[in-house]
Amino acid sequence: MSTDCTYCGSDVNDHDPVFVSERRGDDREETGRFCNYACLSAYIDEQNLVDGACCRIDV
Ligand SMILES: [Zn+2]
């Protein structure tokens, strides 16, 4: 399995890796791996993954 950061392409094993999985039916499928939360956060911002996806809206 690749160990390249989903965001920046570095080898996550050189950092403090964070892994993201999504549920597919009854299984979990890894959908991203990141050097650390900074890369995860940047990726989320870039992909607009949180737009309209909050589980609780208190606006
Ligand atoms: Zn990275």
Side-chain angles (χ1 to χ4, degrees):
M1 183 183 291
S2 169
T3 56
D4 292 348
C5 174
T6 301
Y7 178 66
C8 75
S10 296
D11 187 339
V12 297
N13 292 318
D14 292 340
H15 306 276
D16 296 315
V18 178
F19 298 91
V20 174
S21 336
E22 290 183 10
R23 186 166 169 179
R24 303 251 195 265
D26 290 332
D27 295 324
R28 292 198 319 179
E29 181 174 303
E30 187 182 303
T31 54
R33 65 197 77 79
F34 303 89
C35 305
N36 48 44
Y37 283 103
C39 278
L40 172 57
S41 177
Y43 180 76
I44 289 170
D45 285 348
E46 193 170 86
Q47 301 290 315
N48 294 320
L49 292 179
V50 296
D51 282 1
C54 189
C55 64
R56 191 183 63 182
I57 299 175
D58 291 324
V59 181

